[in-house]
PDB file of all heavy atoms in Angstrom:
ATOM      1  N   LEU A 213      -0.781 -54.399  78.470  1.00  0.00           N
ATOM      2  CA  LEU A 213      -1.108 -55.748  78.009  1.00  0.00           C
ATOM      3  C   LEU A 213      -2.620 -55.988  78.021  1.00  0.00           C
ATOM      4  O   LEU A 213      -3.179 -56.589  77.102  1.00  0.00           O
ATOM      5  CB  LEU A 213      -0.408 -56.756  78.922  1.00  0.00           C
ATOM      6  CG  LEU A 213      -0.501 -58.189  78.469  1.00  0.00           C
ATOM      7  CD1 LEU A 213       0.304 -58.386  77.206  1.00  0.00           C
ATOM      8  CD2 LEU A 213       0.019 -59.107  79.567  1.00  0.00           C
ATOM      9  N   LYS A 217      -4.032 -56.837  74.425  1.00  0.00           N
ATOM     10  CA  LYS A 217      -4.220 -58.267  74.161  1.00  0.00           C
ATOM     11  C   LYS A 217      -5.313 -58.920  75.011  1.00  0.00           C
ATOM     12  O   LYS A 217      -6.159 -59.625  74.481  1.00  0.00           O
ATOM     13  CB  LYS A 217      -2.920 -59.032  74.436  1.00  0.00           C
ATOM     14  CG  LYS A 217      -1.686 -58.498  73.724  1.00  0.00           C
ATOM     15  CD  LYS A 217      -1.433 -59.206  72.429  1.00  0.00           C
ATOM     16  CE  LYS A 217      -0.074 -58.872  71.861  1.00  0.00           C
ATOM     17  NZ  LYS A 217       0.096 -59.210  70.475  1.00  0.00           N
ATOM     18  N   GLU A 338       1.918 -63.754  83.973  1.00  0.00           N
ATOM     19  CA  GLU A 338       2.398 -63.247  82.682  1.00  0.00           C
ATOM     20  C   GLU A 338       3.922 -63.338  82.630  1.00  0.00           C
ATOM     21  O   GLU A 338       4.593 -63.442  83.648  1.00  0.00           O
ATOM     22  CB  GLU A 338       1.965 -61.779  82.506  1.00  0.00           C
ATOM     23  CG  GLU A 338       0.804 -61.591  81.564  1.00  0.00           C
ATOM     24  CD  GLU A 338       1.055 -62.061  80.126  1.00  0.00           C
ATOM     25  OE1 GLU A 338       2.217 -62.166  79.711  1.00  0.00           O
ATOM     26  OE2 GLU A 338       0.072 -62.320  79.414  1.00  0.00           O
ATOM     27  N   LYS A 339       4.457 -63.290  81.458  1.00  0.00           N
ATOM     28  CA  LYS A 339       5.894 -63.282  81.267  1.00  0.00           C
ATOM     29  C   LYS A 339       6.392 -61.842  81.243  1.00  0.00           C
ATOM     30  O   LYS A 339       5.596 -60.960  80.973  1.00  0.00           O
ATOM     31  CB  LYS A 339       6.256 -63.996  79.964  1.00  0.00           C
ATOM     32  CG  LYS A 339       5.470 -63.414  78.751  1.00  0.00           C
ATOM     33  CD  LYS A 339       6.255 -63.336  77.525  1.00  0.00           C
ATOM     34  CE  LYS A 339       7.146 -62.154  77.414  1.00  0.00           C
ATOM     35  NZ  LYS A 339       6.550 -60.886  76.981  1.00  0.00           N
ATOM     36  N   HIS A 369       1.967 -66.224  75.102  1.00  0.00           N
ATOM     37  CA  HIS A 369       0.854 -66.221  74.147  1.00  0.00           C
ATOM     38  C   HIS A 369       1.237 -66.788  72.783  1.00  0.00           C
ATOM     39  O   HIS A 369       0.376 -67.163  72.003  1.00  0.00           O
ATOM     40  CB  HIS A 369       0.214 -64.837  74.042  1.00  0.00           C
ATOM     41  CG  HIS A 369       0.969 -63.855  73.209  1.00  0.00           C
ATOM     42  ND1 HIS A 369       2.042 -63.158  73.687  1.00  0.00           N
ATOM     43  CD2 HIS A 369       0.811 -63.446  71.922  1.00  0.00           C
ATOM     44  CE1 HIS A 369       2.503 -62.359  72.736  1.00  0.00           C
ATOM     45  NE2 HIS A 369       1.773 -62.515  71.652  1.00  0.00           N
ATOM     46  N   TYR A 370       2.549 -66.907  72.511  1.00  0.00           N
ATOM     47  CA  TYR A 370       2.923 -67.519  71.235  1.00  0.00           C
ATOM     48  C   TYR A 370       2.424 -68.965  71.133  1.00  0.00           C
ATOM     49  O   TYR A 370       2.122 -69.439  70.057  1.00  0.00           O
ATOM     50  CB  TYR A 370       4.441 -67.422  70.996  1.00  0.00           C
ATOM     51  CG  TYR A 370       4.747 -66.196  70.171  1.00  0.00           C
ATOM     52  CD1 TYR A 370       4.555 -64.924  70.718  1.00  0.00           C
ATOM     53  CD2 TYR A 370       5.136 -66.290  68.843  1.00  0.00           C
ATOM     54  CE1 TYR A 370       4.760 -63.794  69.967  1.00  0.00           C
ATOM     55  CE2 TYR A 370       5.349 -65.146  68.084  1.00  0.00           C
ATOM     56  CZ  TYR A 370       5.158 -63.914  68.645  1.00  0.00           C
ATOM     57  OH  TYR A 370       5.344 -62.796  67.884  1.00  0.00           O
ATOM     58  N   LYS A 373      -0.998 -69.274  69.540  1.00  0.00           N
ATOM     59  CA  LYS A 373      -1.222 -68.855  68.147  1.00  0.00           C
ATOM     60  C   LYS A 373      -1.531 -70.078  67.289  1.00  0.00           C
ATOM     61  O   LYS A 373      -0.846 -71.089  67.373  1.00  0.00           O
ATOM     62  CB  LYS A 373       0.024 -68.145  67.599  1.00  0.00           C
ATOM     63  CG  LYS A 373       0.215 -66.757  68.203  1.00  0.00           C
ATOM     64  CD  LYS A 373       1.376 -66.040  67.554  1.00  0.00           C
ATOM     65  CE  LYS A 373       1.692 -64.770  68.303  1.00  0.00           C
ATOM     66  NZ  LYS A 373       1.126 -63.561  67.745  1.00  0.00           N
ATOM     67  N   ILE A 405      11.405 -63.098  65.057  1.00  0.00           N
ATOM     68  CA  ILE A 405      10.164 -62.369  65.399  1.00  0.00           C
ATOM     69  C   ILE A 405      10.517 -60.884  65.289  1.00  0.00           C
ATOM     70  O   ILE A 405      11.261 -60.358  66.123  1.00  0.00           O
ATOM     71  CB  ILE A 405       9.638 -62.674  66.810  1.00  0.00           C
ATOM     72  CG1 ILE A 405       9.461 -64.188  67.028  1.00  0.00           C
ATOM     73  CG2 ILE A 405       8.318 -61.938  67.055  1.00  0.00           C
ATOM     74  CD1 ILE A 405       8.953 -64.557  68.429  1.00  0.00           C
ATOM     75  N   GLU A 407       9.372 -56.810  64.678  1.00  0.00           N
ATOM     76  CA  GLU A 407       8.247 -55.875  64.848  1.00  0.00           C
ATOM     77  C   GLU A 407       8.625 -54.496  64.324  1.00  0.00           C
ATOM     78  O   GLU A 407       9.752 -54.052  64.532  1.00  0.00           O
ATOM     79  CB  GLU A 407       7.914 -55.710  66.330  1.00  0.00           C
ATOM     80  CG  GLU A 407       7.432 -56.944  67.005  1.00  0.00           C
ATOM     81  CD  GLU A 407       7.135 -56.671  68.479  1.00  0.00           C
ATOM     82  OE1 GLU A 407       8.073 -56.697  69.281  1.00  0.00           O
ATOM     83  OE2 GLU A 407       5.978 -56.400  68.796  1.00  0.00           O
ATOM     84  N   LEU A 409       6.792 -52.028  65.457  1.00  0.00           N
ATOM     85  CA  LEU A 409       6.408 -51.271  66.649  1.00  0.00           C
ATOM     86  C   LEU A 409       7.628 -50.901  67.492  1.00  0.00           C
ATOM     87  O   LEU A 409       8.563 -51.684  67.601  1.00  0.00           O
ATOM     88  CB  LEU A 409       5.523 -52.199  67.472  1.00  0.00           C
ATOM     89  CG  LEU A 409       4.319 -51.676  68.202  1.00  0.00           C
ATOM     90  CD1 LEU A 409       3.312 -51.107  67.213  1.00  0.00           C
ATOM     91  CD2 LEU A 409       3.669 -52.803  69.011  1.00  0.00           C
ATOM     92  N   ARG A 414       5.366 -48.095  76.882  1.00  0.00           N
ATOM     93  CA  ARG A 414       5.853 -49.031  77.904  1.00  0.00           C
ATOM     94  C   ARG A 414       7.311 -48.789  78.296  1.00  0.00           C
ATOM     95  O   ARG A 414       7.999 -49.697  78.750  1.00  0.00           O
ATOM     96  CB  ARG A 414       5.747 -50.453  77.373  1.00  0.00           C
ATOM     97  CG  ARG A 414       4.349 -50.920  77.099  1.00  0.00           C
ATOM     98  CD  ARG A 414       4.317 -52.433  77.032  1.00  0.00           C
ATOM     99  NE  ARG A 414       5.193 -52.960  75.999  1.00  0.00           N
ATOM    100  CZ  ARG A 414       5.597 -54.220  75.935  1.00  0.00           C
ATOM    101  NH1 ARG A 414       5.244 -55.074  76.854  1.00  0.00           N
ATOM    102  NH2 ARG A 414       6.366 -54.644  74.948  1.00  0.00           N
ATOM    103  N   PHE A 417       8.587 -50.066  81.817  1.00  0.00           N
ATOM    104  CA  PHE A 417       8.678 -51.531  81.897  1.00  0.00           C
ATOM    105  C   PHE A 417       9.791 -52.030  80.987  1.00  0.00           C
ATOM    106  O   PHE A 417      10.646 -52.817  81.377  1.00  0.00           O
ATOM    107  CB  PHE A 417       7.332 -52.163  81.486  1.00  0.00           C
ATOM    108  CG  PHE A 417       7.463 -53.594  81.002  1.00  0.00           C
ATOM    109  CD1 PHE A 417       7.530 -54.631  81.925  1.00  0.00           C
ATOM    110  CD2 PHE A 417       7.531 -53.894  79.648  1.00  0.00           C
ATOM    111  CE1 PHE A 417       7.677 -55.948  81.486  1.00  0.00           C
ATOM    112  CE2 PHE A 417       7.680 -55.207  79.206  1.00  0.00           C
ATOM    113  CZ  PHE A 417       7.746 -56.234  80.131  1.00  0.00           C
ATOM    114  N   TYR A 418       9.779 -51.563  79.760  1.00  0.00           N
ATOM    115  CA  TYR A 418      10.682 -52.132  78.759  1.00  0.00           C
ATOM    116  C   TYR A 418      12.134 -51.864  79.105  1.00  0.00           C
ATOM    117  O   TYR A 418      12.996 -52.722  78.927  1.00  0.00           O
ATOM    118  CB  TYR A 418      10.353 -51.576  77.365  1.00  0.00           C
ATOM    119  CG  TYR A 418      11.019 -52.398  76.285  1.00  0.00           C
ATOM    120  CD1 TYR A 418      10.373 -53.515  75.764  1.00  0.00           C
ATOM    121  CD2 TYR A 418      12.300 -52.101  75.834  1.00  0.00           C
ATOM    122  CE1 TYR A 418      10.985 -54.309  74.809  1.00  0.00           C
ATOM    123  CE2 TYR A 418      12.915 -52.886  74.882  1.00  0.00           C
ATOM    124  CZ  TYR A 418      12.257 -53.990  74.369  1.00  0.00           C
ATOM    125  OH  TYR A 418      12.872 -54.783  73.423  1.00  0.00           O
ATOM    126  N   ASP A 426      12.125 -60.004  77.300  1.00  0.00           N
ATOM    127  CA  ASP A 426      10.773 -59.788  76.779  1.00  0.00           C
ATOM    128  C   ASP A 426      10.407 -60.816  75.695  1.00  0.00           C
ATOM    129  O   ASP A 426       9.252 -61.219  75.595  1.00  0.00           O
ATOM    130  CB  ASP A 426      10.689 -58.361  76.204  1.00  0.00           C
ATOM    131  CG  ASP A 426       9.276 -57.940  75.856  1.00  0.00           C
ATOM    132  OD1 ASP A 426       8.357 -58.254  76.630  1.00  0.00           O
ATOM    133  OD2 ASP A 426       9.080 -57.293  74.794  1.00  0.00           O
ATOM    134  N   MET A 427      11.374 -61.214  74.891  1.00  0.00           N
ATOM    135  CA  MET A 427      11.056 -62.045  73.720  1.00  0.00           C
ATOM    136  C   MET A 427      11.864 -63.343  73.625  1.00  0.00           C
ATOM    137  O   MET A 427      11.341 -64.365  73.199  1.00  0.00           O
ATOM    138  CB  MET A 427      11.319 -61.245  72.421  1.00  0.00           C
ATOM    139  CG  MET A 427      10.534 -59.975  72.275  1.00  0.00           C
ATOM    140  SD  MET A 427       8.750 -60.203  72.114  1.00  0.00           S
ATOM    141  CE  MET A 427       8.607 -60.785  70.426  1.00  0.00           C
ATOM    142  N   ASN A 430      11.381 -66.390  76.358  1.00  0.00           N
ATOM    143  CA  ASN A 430      10.072 -67.037  76.287  1.00  0.00           C
ATOM    144  C   ASN A 430       9.667 -67.355  74.843  1.00  0.00           C
ATOM    145  O   ASN A 430       9.837 -68.480  74.383  1.00  0.00           O
ATOM    146  CB  ASN A 430       9.036 -66.179  77.009  1.00  0.00           C
ATOM    147  CG  ASN A 430       9.432 -64.702  76.923  1.00  0.00           C
ATOM    148  OD1 ASN A 430       9.309 -64.094  75.860  1.00  0.00           O
ATOM    149  ND2 ASN A 430       9.955 -64.148  78.010  1.00  0.00           N
ATOM    150  N   HIS A 431       9.180 -66.344  74.101  1.00  0.00           N
ATOM    151  CA  HIS A 431       8.602 -66.630  72.780  1.00  0.00           C
ATOM    152  C   HIS A 431       9.594 -67.333  71.838  1.00  0.00           C
ATOM    153  O   HIS A 431       9.261 -68.332  71.215  1.00  0.00           O
ATOM    154  CB  HIS A 431       8.148 -65.342  72.088  1.00  0.00           C
ATOM    155  CG  HIS A 431       7.156 -64.541  72.877  1.00  0.00           C
ATOM    156  ND1 HIS A 431       6.233 -65.107  73.717  1.00  0.00           N
ATOM    157  CD2 HIS A 431       6.929 -63.197  72.940  1.00  0.00           C
ATOM    158  CE1 HIS A 431       5.488 -64.150  74.264  1.00  0.00           C
ATOM    159  NE2 HIS A 431       5.900 -62.987  73.810  1.00  0.00           N
ATOM    160  N   LYS A 531      12.643 -54.583  67.833  1.00  0.00           N
ATOM    161  CA  LYS A 531      11.596 -53.578  67.633  1.00  0.00           C
ATOM    162  C   LYS A 531      12.094 -52.582  66.598  1.00  0.00           C
ATOM    163  O   LYS A 531      13.294 -52.427  66.395  1.00  0.00           O
ATOM    164  CB  LYS A 531      11.314 -52.863  68.945  1.00  0.00           C
ATOM    165  CG  LYS A 531      10.779 -53.819  70.007  1.00  0.00           C
ATOM    166  CD  LYS A 531       9.681 -53.185  70.821  1.00  0.00           C
ATOM    167  CE  LYS A 531       9.098 -54.134  71.828  1.00  0.00           C
ATOM    168  NZ  LYS A 531       7.890 -54.826  71.383  1.00  0.00           N
ATOM    169  N   GLN A 569       3.300 -65.195  61.018  1.00  0.00           N
ATOM    170  CA  GLN A 569       2.513 -63.968  60.945  1.00  0.00           C
ATOM    171  C   GLN A 569       3.288 -62.919  60.177  1.00  0.00           C
ATOM    172  O   GLN A 569       4.506 -63.029  60.100  1.00  0.00           O
ATOM    173  CB  GLN A 569       2.139 -63.465  62.344  1.00  0.00           C
ATOM    174  CG  GLN A 569       3.315 -63.191  63.241  1.00  0.00           C
ATOM    175  CD  GLN A 569       2.904 -62.871  64.675  1.00  0.00           C
ATOM    176  OE1 GLN A 569       2.014 -63.461  65.234  1.00  0.00           O
ATOM    177  NE2 GLN A 569       3.572 -61.917  65.275  1.00  0.00           N
ATOM    178  N   TYR A 610      -4.862 -65.015  72.645  1.00  0.00           N
ATOM    179  CA  TYR A 610      -5.340 -64.779  74.015  1.00  0.00           C
ATOM    180  C   TYR A 610      -6.728 -65.367  74.233  1.00  0.00           C
ATOM    181  O   TYR A 610      -7.036 -65.849  75.313  1.00  0.00           O
ATOM    182  CB  TYR A 610      -5.282 -63.288  74.367  1.00  0.00           C
ATOM    183  CG  TYR A 610      -3.943 -62.911  74.961  1.00  0.00           C
ATOM    184  CD1 TYR A 610      -2.887 -62.498  74.164  1.00  0.00           C
ATOM    185  CD2 TYR A 610      -3.711 -63.026  76.330  1.00  0.00           C
ATOM    186  CE1 TYR A 610      -1.646 -62.186  74.710  1.00  0.00           C
ATOM    187  CE2 TYR A 610      -2.481 -62.723  76.886  1.00  0.00           C
ATOM    188  CZ  TYR A 610      -1.451 -62.300  76.073  1.00  0.00           C
ATOM    189  OH  TYR A 610      -0.230 -62.014  76.631  1.00  0.00           O
TER     190      TYR A 610
HETATM  191  C1  BG6 B 117       4.846 -59.490  74.025  1.00  0.00           C
HETATM  192  C2  BG6 B 117       5.967 -58.529  74.249  1.00  0.00           C
HETATM  193  O1  BG6 B 117       5.006 -60.624  74.825  1.00  0.00           O
HETATM  194  O2  BG6 B 117       4.825 -59.878  72.654  1.00  0.00           O
HETATM  195  C3  BG6 B 117       5.839 -57.316  73.343  1.00  0.00           C
HETATM  196  O3  BG6 B 117       5.980 -58.115  75.601  1.00  0.00           O
HETATM  197  C4  BG6 B 117       5.667 -57.737  71.905  1.00  0.00           C
HETATM  198  O4  BG6 B 117       6.969 -56.454  73.480  1.00  0.00           O
HETATM  199  C5  BG6 B 117       4.595 -58.803  71.762  1.00  0.00           C
HETATM  200  O5  BG6 B 117       5.297 -56.586  71.161  1.00  0.00           O
HETATM  201  C6  BG6 B 117       4.551 -59.381  70.355  1.00  0.00           C
HETATM  202  O6  BG6 B 117       3.461 -60.252  70.228  1.00  0.00           O
HETATM  203  P1  BG6 B 117       2.702 -60.441  68.837  1.00  0.00           P
HETATM  204  O7  BG6 B 117       1.654 -61.461  69.136  1.00  0.00           O
HETATM  205  O8  BG6 B 117       2.132 -59.109  68.483  1.00  0.00           O
HETATM  206  O9  BG6 B 117       3.733 -60.928  67.874  1.00  0.00           O
END
Side-chain angles (χ1 to χ4, degrees):
L213 188 68
K217 307 266 191 196
E338 256 299 338
K339 53 142 278 279
H369 78 279
Y370 266 68
K373 288 185 189 262
I405 306 179
E407 296 180 277
L409 219 62
R414 296 199 301 163
F417 157 82
Y418 195 88
D426 190 41
M427 301 294 285
N430 30 73
H431 303 328
K531 297 220 177 264
Q569 58 188 40
Y610 271 90

